PDB file of all heavy atoms in Angstrom:
ATOM      1  N   GLY B  42     -11.139 -16.505  -2.632  1.00 76.00           N
ATOM      2  CA  GLY B  42     -10.928 -17.270  -1.342  1.00 76.00           C
ATOM      3  C   GLY B  42     -12.121 -18.123  -1.216  1.00 76.00           C
ATOM      4  O   GLY B  42     -13.026 -18.236  -1.991  1.00 76.00           O
ATOM      5  N   LEU B  43     -12.159 -18.734   0.063  1.00 85.00           N
ATOM      6  CA  LEU B  43     -13.275 -19.612   0.334  1.00 85.00           C
ATOM      7  C   LEU B  43     -14.281 -18.789   0.994  1.00 85.00           C
ATOM      8  O   LEU B  43     -14.134 -18.069   1.834  1.00 85.00           O
ATOM      9  CB  LEU B  43     -12.689 -20.727   1.355  1.00 85.00           C
ATOM     10  CG  LEU B  43     -12.133 -21.986   0.744  1.00 85.00           C
ATOM     11  CD1 LEU B  43     -10.809 -21.633   0.202  1.00 85.00           C
ATOM     12  CD2 LEU B  43     -12.041 -23.055   1.714  1.00 85.00           C
ATOM     13  N   GLU B  44     -15.558 -19.116   0.397  1.00 88.00           N
ATOM     14  CA  GLU B  44     -16.737 -18.328   0.753  1.00 88.00           C
ATOM     15  C   GLU B  44     -17.514 -19.195   1.687  1.00 88.00           C
ATOM     16  O   GLU B  44     -17.955 -20.295   1.279  1.00 88.00           O
ATOM     17  CB  GLU B  44     -17.486 -17.846  -0.411  1.00 88.00           C
ATOM     18  CG  GLU B  44     -18.848 -17.118  -0.120  1.00 88.00           C
ATOM     19  CD  GLU B  44     -19.674 -16.949  -1.412  1.00 88.00           C
ATOM     20  OE1 GLU B  44     -19.208 -17.338  -2.424  1.00 88.00           O
ATOM     21  OE2 GLU B  44     -20.739 -16.449  -1.263  1.00 88.00           O
ATOM     22  N   PHE B  45     -17.753 -18.848   2.941  1.00 88.00           N
ATOM     23  CA  PHE B  45     -18.551 -19.658   3.868  1.00 88.00           C
ATOM     24  C   PHE B  45     -19.997 -19.698   3.509  1.00 88.00           C
ATOM     25  O   PHE B  45     -20.589 -18.649   3.117  1.00 88.00           O
ATOM     26  CB  PHE B  45     -18.455 -19.074   5.332  1.00 88.00           C
ATOM     27  CG  PHE B  45     -19.462 -19.722   6.200  1.00 88.00           C
ATOM     28  CD1 PHE B  45     -19.172 -20.899   6.846  1.00 88.00           C
ATOM     29  CD2 PHE B  45     -20.603 -18.984   6.609  1.00 88.00           C
ATOM     30  CE1 PHE B  45     -20.127 -21.440   7.762  1.00 88.00           C
ATOM     31  CE2 PHE B  45     -21.531 -19.518   7.501  1.00 88.00           C
ATOM     32  CZ  PHE B  45     -21.229 -20.692   8.090  1.00 88.00           C
ATOM     33  N   LEU B  46     -20.593 -20.809   3.344  1.00 93.00           N
ATOM     34  CA  LEU B  46     -22.071 -21.023   2.965  1.00 93.00           C
ATOM     35  C   LEU B  46     -22.937 -21.291   4.284  1.00 93.00           C
ATOM     36  O   LEU B  46     -23.822 -20.601   4.461  1.00 93.00           O
ATOM     37  CB  LEU B  46     -22.243 -22.103   1.989  1.00 93.00           C
ATOM     38  CG  LEU B  46     -21.471 -21.903   0.594  1.00 93.00           C
ATOM     39  CD1 LEU B  46     -21.618 -22.922  -0.299  1.00 93.00           C
ATOM     40  CD2 LEU B  46     -21.893 -20.629  -0.045  1.00 93.00           C
ATOM     41  N   ILE B  47     -22.608 -22.491   4.923  1.00 92.00           N
ATOM     42  CA  ILE B  47     -23.500 -22.847   5.950  1.00 92.00           C
ATOM     43  C   ILE B  47     -22.686 -23.786   6.867  1.00 92.00           C
ATOM     44  O   ILE B  47     -21.757 -24.403   6.580  1.00 92.00           O
ATOM     45  CB  ILE B  47     -24.801 -23.539   5.342  1.00 92.00           C
ATOM     46  CG1 ILE B  47     -25.777 -23.740   6.416  1.00 92.00           C
ATOM     47  CG2 ILE B  47     -24.338 -24.894   4.695  1.00 92.00           C
ATOM     48  CD1 ILE B  47     -27.201 -24.236   5.933  1.00 92.00           C
ATOM     49  N   TYR B  48     -23.173 -23.930   8.176  1.00 88.00           N
ATOM     50  CA  TYR B  48     -22.470 -24.763   9.123  1.00 88.00           C
ATOM     51  C   TYR B  48     -23.634 -25.538   9.713  1.00 88.00           C
ATOM     52  O   TYR B  48     -24.819 -25.065  10.075  1.00 88.00           O
ATOM     53  CB  TYR B  48     -21.840 -23.743  10.058  1.00 88.00           C
ATOM     54  CG  TYR B  48     -21.617 -24.298  11.490  1.00 88.00           C
ATOM     55  CD1 TYR B  48     -20.694 -25.192  11.841  1.00 88.00           C
ATOM     56  CD2 TYR B  48     -22.492 -23.691  12.525  1.00 88.00           C
ATOM     57  CE1 TYR B  48     -20.606 -25.604  13.171  1.00 88.00           C
ATOM     58  CE2 TYR B  48     -22.376 -24.175  13.817  1.00 88.00           C
ATOM     59  CZ  TYR B  48     -21.414 -25.214  14.139  1.00 88.00           C
ATOM     60  OH  TYR B  48     -21.321 -25.599  15.445  1.00 88.00           O
ATOM     61  N   PHE B  49     -23.229 -26.824  10.170  1.00 90.00           N
ATOM     62  CA  PHE B  49     -24.127 -27.638  10.923  1.00 90.00           C
ATOM     63  C   PHE B  49     -23.495 -28.075  12.152  1.00 90.00           C
ATOM     64  O   PHE B  49     -22.337 -28.408  12.158  1.00 90.00           O
ATOM     65  CB  PHE B  49     -24.431 -29.002  10.108  1.00 90.00           C
ATOM     66  CG  PHE B  49     -25.352 -28.621   8.956  1.00 90.00           C
ATOM     67  CD1 PHE B  49     -24.938 -28.440   7.690  1.00 90.00           C
ATOM     68  CD2 PHE B  49     -26.879 -28.822   9.141  1.00 90.00           C
ATOM     69  CE1 PHE B  49     -25.845 -28.235   6.663  1.00 90.00           C
ATOM     70  CE2 PHE B  49     -27.646 -28.702   8.191  1.00 90.00           C
ATOM     71  CZ  PHE B  49     -27.209 -28.313   6.853  1.00 90.00           C
ATOM     72  N   GLN B  50     -24.159 -28.166  13.253  1.00 86.00           N
ATOM     73  CA  GLN B  50     -23.775 -28.636  14.514  1.00 86.00           C
ATOM     74  C   GLN B  50     -24.810 -29.805  14.756  1.00 86.00           C
ATOM     75  O   GLN B  50     -25.971 -29.499  15.046  1.00 86.00           O
ATOM     76  CB  GLN B  50     -23.723 -27.653  15.716  1.00 86.00           C
ATOM     77  CG  GLN B  50     -23.385 -28.310  17.065  1.00 86.00           C
ATOM     78  CD  GLN B  50     -21.968 -28.907  17.036  1.00 86.00           C
ATOM     79  OE1 GLN B  50     -21.067 -28.464  16.441  1.00 86.00           O
ATOM     80  NE2 GLN B  50     -21.876 -30.124  17.623  1.00 86.00           N
ATOM     81  N   GLY B  51     -24.371 -30.992  14.672  1.00 88.00           N
ATOM     82  CA  GLY B  51     -25.377 -32.123  14.554  1.00 88.00           C
ATOM     83  C   GLY B  51     -26.159 -31.974  13.396  1.00 88.00           C
ATOM     84  O   GLY B  51     -25.616 -31.729  12.180  1.00 88.00           O
ATOM     85  N   ASN B  52     -27.442 -32.021  13.535  1.00 90.00           N
ATOM     86  CA  ASN B  52     -28.433 -31.888  12.364  1.00 90.00           C
ATOM     87  C   ASN B  52     -29.011 -30.432  12.173  1.00 90.00           C
ATOM     88  O   ASN B  52     -29.621 -30.244  11.113  1.00 90.00           O
ATOM     89  CB  ASN B  52     -29.549 -32.819  12.447  1.00 90.00           C
ATOM     90  CG  ASN B  52     -29.214 -34.335  12.305  1.00 90.00           C
ATOM     91  OD1 ASN B  52     -28.072 -34.613  11.669  1.00 90.00           O
ATOM     92  ND2 ASN B  52     -29.922 -35.215  12.901  1.00 90.00           N
ATOM     93  N   SER B  53     -28.537 -29.550  13.085  1.00 89.00           N
ATOM     94  CA  SER B  53     -29.155 -28.185  12.995  1.00 89.00           C
ATOM     95  C   SER B  53     -28.079 -27.261  12.465  1.00 89.00           C
ATOM     96  O   SER B  53     -26.950 -27.432  12.544  1.00 89.00           O
ATOM     97  CB  SER B  53     -29.591 -27.705  14.384  1.00 89.00           C
ATOM     98  OG  SER B  53     -28.518 -27.610  15.276  1.00 89.00           O
ATOM     99  N   ALA B  54     -28.559 -26.176  11.800  1.00 88.00           N
ATOM    100  CA  ALA B  54     -27.783 -25.360  11.109  1.00 88.00           C
ATOM    101  C   ALA B  54     -27.849 -23.780  11.864  1.00 88.00           C
ATOM    102  O   ALA B  54     -28.806 -23.162  11.416  1.00 88.00           O
ATOM    103  CB  ALA B  54     -28.141 -25.119   9.693  1.00 88.00           C
ATOM    104  N   PRO B  55     -27.041 -23.575  12.784  1.00 80.00           N
ATOM    105  CA  PRO B  55     -27.140 -22.305  13.546  1.00 80.00           C
ATOM    106  C   PRO B  55     -26.863 -21.025  12.585  1.00 80.00           C
ATOM    107  O   PRO B  55     -27.276 -19.912  13.029  1.00 80.00           O
ATOM    108  CB  PRO B  55     -26.168 -22.381  14.641  1.00 80.00           C
ATOM    109  CG  PRO B  55     -25.667 -23.848  14.704  1.00 80.00           C
ATOM    110  CD  PRO B  55     -25.888 -24.445  13.303  1.00 80.00           C
ATOM    111  N   ASP B  56     -26.129 -21.266  11.584  1.00 79.00           N
ATOM    112  CA  ASP B  56     -25.697 -20.040  10.790  1.00 79.00           C
ATOM    113  C   ASP B  56     -25.889 -20.393   9.317  1.00 79.00           C
ATOM    114  O   ASP B  56     -25.085 -21.118   8.728  1.00 79.00           O
ATOM    115  CB  ASP B  56     -24.295 -19.750  11.084  1.00 79.00           C
ATOM    116  CG  ASP B  56     -23.808 -18.513  10.532  1.00 79.00           C
ATOM    117  OD1 ASP B  56     -24.456 -17.977   9.501  1.00 79.00           O
ATOM    118  OD2 ASP B  56     -22.837 -17.809  10.937  1.00 79.00           O
ATOM    119  N   LYS B  57     -26.833 -19.862   8.814  1.00 83.00           N
ATOM    120  CA  LYS B  57     -27.090 -20.005   7.275  1.00 83.00           C
ATOM    121  C   LYS B  57     -26.863 -18.680   6.582  1.00 83.00           C
ATOM    122  O   LYS B  57     -27.265 -18.583   5.366  1.00 83.00           O
ATOM    123  CB  LYS B  57     -28.573 -20.298   7.059  1.00 83.00           C
ATOM    124  CG  LYS B  57     -29.107 -21.600   7.703  1.00 83.00           C
ATOM    125  CD  LYS B  57     -30.543 -21.914   7.452  1.00 83.00           C
ATOM    126  CE  LYS B  57     -30.937 -23.148   8.254  1.00 83.00           C
ATOM    127  NZ  LYS B  57     -32.535 -23.431   8.038  1.00 83.00           N
ATOM    128  N   SER B  58     -26.217 -17.873   7.239  1.00 81.00           N
ATOM    129  CA  SER B  58     -26.012 -16.398   6.695  1.00 81.00           C
ATOM    130  C   SER B  58     -25.370 -16.397   5.323  1.00 81.00           C
ATOM    131  O   SER B  58     -25.406 -15.415   4.568  1.00 81.00           O
ATOM    132  CB  SER B  58     -25.419 -15.522   7.758  1.00 81.00           C
ATOM    133  OG  SER B  58     -24.054 -16.065   7.981  1.00 81.00           O
ATOM    134  N   GLY B  59     -24.399 -17.412   5.027  1.00 87.00           N
ATOM    135  CA  GLY B  59     -23.642 -17.383   3.904  1.00 87.00           C
ATOM    136  C   GLY B  59     -24.238 -17.841   2.663  1.00 87.00           C
ATOM    137  O   GLY B  59     -23.792 -17.676   1.624  1.00 87.00           O
ATOM    138  N   LEU B  60     -25.458 -18.445   2.718  1.00 93.00           N
ATOM    139  CA  LEU B  60     -26.141 -18.976   1.590  1.00 93.00           C
ATOM    140  C   LEU B  60     -26.459 -17.854   0.654  1.00 93.00           C
ATOM    141  O   LEU B  60     -27.039 -16.734   0.974  1.00 93.00           O
ATOM    142  CB  LEU B  60     -27.411 -19.697   1.865  1.00 93.00           C
ATOM    143  CG  LEU B  60     -27.190 -21.059   2.666  1.00 93.00           C
ATOM    144  CD1 LEU B  60     -28.485 -21.605   3.144  1.00 93.00           C
ATOM    145  CD2 LEU B  60     -26.423 -22.007   1.862  1.00 93.00           C
ATOM    146  N   PRO B  61     -25.993 -17.919  -0.588  1.00 92.00           N
ATOM    147  CA  PRO B  61     -26.062 -16.679  -1.576  1.00 92.00           C
ATOM    148  C   PRO B  61     -27.533 -16.255  -1.908  1.00 92.00           C
ATOM    149  O   PRO B  61     -27.779 -15.145  -2.168  1.00 92.00           O
ATOM    150  CB  PRO B  61     -25.360 -17.205  -2.706  1.00 92.00           C
ATOM    151  CG  PRO B  61     -24.587 -18.353  -2.380  1.00 92.00           C
ATOM    152  CD  PRO B  61     -25.339 -18.991  -1.226  1.00 92.00           C
ATOM    153  N   SER B  62     -28.453 -17.239  -1.950  1.00 93.00           N
ATOM    154  CA  SER B  62     -29.761 -16.957  -2.306  1.00 93.00           C
ATOM    155  C   SER B  62     -30.750 -18.016  -1.811  1.00 93.00           C
ATOM    156  O   SER B  62     -30.261 -19.093  -1.306  1.00 93.00           O
ATOM    157  CB  SER B  62     -29.975 -16.847  -3.874  1.00 93.00           C
ATOM    158  OG  SER B  62     -29.911 -18.145  -4.342  1.00 93.00           O
ATOM    159  N   ASP B  63     -32.047 -17.820  -2.035  1.00 94.00           N
ATOM    160  CA  ASP B  63     -32.951 -18.968  -1.638  1.00 94.00           C
ATOM    161  C   ASP B  63     -32.907 -20.029  -2.547  1.00 94.00           C
ATOM    162  O   ASP B  63     -33.650 -21.115  -2.305  1.00 94.00           O
ATOM    163  CB  ASP B  63     -34.369 -18.302  -1.499  1.00 94.00           C
ATOM    164  CG  ASP B  63     -34.981 -17.775  -2.617  1.00 94.00           C
ATOM    165  OD1 ASP B  63     -34.171 -18.006  -3.769  1.00 94.00           O
ATOM    166  OD2 ASP B  63     -35.941 -17.126  -2.653  1.00 94.00           O
ATOM    167  N   ARG B  64     -32.177 -19.985  -3.564  1.00 97.00           N
ATOM    168  CA  ARG B  64     -31.953 -21.246  -4.396  1.00 97.00           C
ATOM    169  C   ARG B  64     -31.062 -22.329  -3.790  1.00 97.00           C
ATOM    170  O   ARG B  64     -31.051 -23.473  -4.130  1.00 97.00           O
ATOM    171  CB  ARG B  64     -31.417 -20.827  -5.778  1.00 97.00           C
ATOM    172  CG  ARG B  64     -32.243 -19.952  -6.613  1.00 97.00           C
ATOM    173  CD  ARG B  64     -31.666 -19.701  -8.013  1.00 97.00           C
ATOM    174  NE  ARG B  64     -30.518 -18.919  -7.944  1.00 97.00           N
ATOM    175  CZ  ARG B  64     -29.206 -19.610  -8.133  1.00 97.00           C
ATOM    176  NH1 ARG B  64     -29.200 -20.923  -8.397  1.00 97.00           N
ATOM    177  NH2 ARG B  64     -28.168 -18.710  -8.171  1.00 97.00           N
ATOM    178  N   PHE B  65     -30.350 -21.915  -2.764  1.00 97.00           N
ATOM    179  CA  PHE B  65     -29.419 -22.743  -2.101  1.00 97.00           C
ATOM    180  C   PHE B  65     -30.035 -23.210  -0.773  1.00 97.00           C
ATOM    181  O   PHE B  65     -30.597 -22.519   0.050  1.00 97.00           O
ATOM    182  CB  PHE B  65     -28.164 -22.032  -1.670  1.00 97.00           C
ATOM    183  CG  PHE B  65     -27.256 -21.653  -2.854  1.00 97.00           C
ATOM    184  CD1 PHE B  65     -27.528 -20.735  -3.878  1.00 97.00           C
ATOM    185  CD2 PHE B  65     -25.975 -22.503  -3.004  1.00 97.00           C
ATOM    186  CE1 PHE B  65     -26.724 -20.539  -4.846  1.00 97.00           C
ATOM    187  CE2 PHE B  65     -25.235 -22.217  -4.147  1.00 97.00           C
ATOM    188  CZ  PHE B  65     -25.497 -21.257  -4.983  1.00 97.00           C
ATOM    189  N   SER B  66     -29.958 -24.534  -0.467  1.00 96.00           N
ATOM    190  CA  SER B  66     -30.443 -25.081   0.751  1.00 96.00           C
ATOM    191  C   SER B  66     -29.439 -26.279   1.053  1.00 96.00           C
ATOM    192  O   SER B  66     -28.728 -26.898   0.273  1.00 96.00           O
ATOM    193  CB  SER B  66     -31.821 -25.573   0.636  1.00 96.00           C
ATOM    194  OG  SER B  66     -31.972 -26.601  -0.308  1.00 96.00           O
ATOM    195  N   ALA B  67     -29.470 -26.724   2.271  1.00 96.00           N
ATOM    196  CA  ALA B  67     -28.647 -27.770   2.767  1.00 96.00           C
ATOM    197  C   ALA B  67     -29.296 -28.535   3.952  1.00 96.00           C
ATOM    198  O   ALA B  67     -30.023 -27.899   4.682  1.00 96.00           O
ATOM    199  CB  ALA B  67     -27.345 -27.210   3.182  1.00 96.00           C
ATOM    200  N   GLU B  68     -29.111 -29.690   3.993  1.00 95.00           N
ATOM    201  CA  GLU B  68     -29.616 -30.462   5.153  1.00 95.00           C
ATOM    202  C   GLU B  68     -28.553 -31.569   5.575  1.00 95.00           C
ATOM    203  O   GLU B  68     -27.643 -31.910   4.854  1.00 95.00           O
ATOM    204  CB  GLU B  68     -30.923 -31.156   4.785  1.00 95.00           C
ATOM    205  CG  GLU B  68     -30.856 -32.237   3.758  1.00 95.00           C
ATOM    206  CD  GLU B  68     -32.169 -32.931   3.511  1.00 95.00           C
ATOM    207  OE1 GLU B  68     -33.182 -32.448   3.988  1.00 95.00           O
ATOM    208  OE2 GLU B  68     -32.141 -34.021   2.793  1.00 95.00           O
ATOM    209  N   ARG B  69     -28.740 -31.919   6.811  1.00 95.00           N
ATOM    210  CA  ARG B  69     -27.813 -33.019   7.349  1.00 95.00           C
ATOM    211  C   ARG B  69     -28.722 -34.030   8.111  1.00 95.00           C
ATOM    212  O   ARG B  69     -29.593 -33.558   8.940  1.00 95.00           O
ATOM    213  CB  ARG B  69     -26.779 -32.350   8.238  1.00 95.00           C
ATOM    214  CG  ARG B  69     -25.691 -33.380   8.756  1.00 95.00           C
ATOM    215  CD  ARG B  69     -24.766 -32.734   9.460  1.00 95.00           C
ATOM    216  NE  ARG B  69     -23.600 -33.637   9.829  1.00 95.00           N
ATOM    217  CZ  ARG B  69     -22.761 -33.487  10.844  1.00 95.00           C
ATOM    218  NH1 ARG B  69     -22.806 -32.339  11.597  1.00 95.00           N
ATOM    219  NH2 ARG B  69     -21.710 -34.348  10.939  1.00 95.00           N
ATOM    220  N   THR B  70     -28.586 -35.209   7.928  1.00 89.00           N
ATOM    221  CA  THR B  70     -29.331 -36.298   8.455  1.00 89.00           C
ATOM    222  C   THR B  70     -28.423 -37.151   9.268  1.00 89.00           C
ATOM    223  O   THR B  70     -27.351 -37.576   8.956  1.00 89.00           O
ATOM    224  CB  THR B  70     -30.196 -37.056   7.480  1.00 89.00           C
ATOM    225  OG1 THR B  70     -29.348 -37.577   6.509  1.00 89.00           O
ATOM    226  CG2 THR B  70     -31.204 -36.133   6.824  1.00 89.00           C
ATOM    227  N   GLY B  71     -28.986 -37.645  10.396  1.00 88.00           N
ATOM    228  CA  GLY B  71     -28.307 -38.584  11.222  1.00 88.00           C
ATOM    229  C   GLY B  71     -26.948 -38.068  11.773  1.00 88.00           C
ATOM    230  O   GLY B  71     -26.106 -38.837  12.216  1.00 88.00           O
ATOM    231  N   GLY B  72     -26.873 -36.660  11.926  1.00 84.00           N
ATOM    232  CA  GLY B  72     -25.549 -36.196  12.280  1.00 84.00           C
ATOM    233  C   GLY B  72     -24.339 -36.584  11.493  1.00 84.00           C
ATOM    234  O   GLY B  72     -23.242 -36.504  11.873  1.00 84.00           O
ATOM    235  N   SER B  73     -24.591 -36.944  10.181  1.00 92.00           N
ATOM    236  CA  SER B  73     -23.524 -37.436   9.383  1.00 92.00           C
ATOM    237  C   SER B  73     -23.689 -36.808   8.003  1.00 92.00           C
ATOM    238  O   SER B  73     -23.254 -35.622   7.933  1.00 92.00           O
ATOM    239  CB  SER B  73     -23.626 -38.992   9.181  1.00 92.00           C
ATOM    240  OG  SER B  73     -22.544 -39.450   8.501  1.00 92.00           O
TER     241      SER B  73
END
Side-chain angles (χ1 to χ4, degrees):
Chain B
L43 274 71
E44 175 189 3
F45 168 82
L46 297 179
I47 190 170
Y48 151 78
F49 288 91
Q50 178 59 41
N52 292 333
S53 63
D56 190 339
K57 303 179 182 178
S58 62
L60 293 175
S62 73
D63 58 8
R64 296 186 294 105
F65 286 73
S66 63
E68 64 175 15
R69 189 180 185 194
T70 56
S73 181

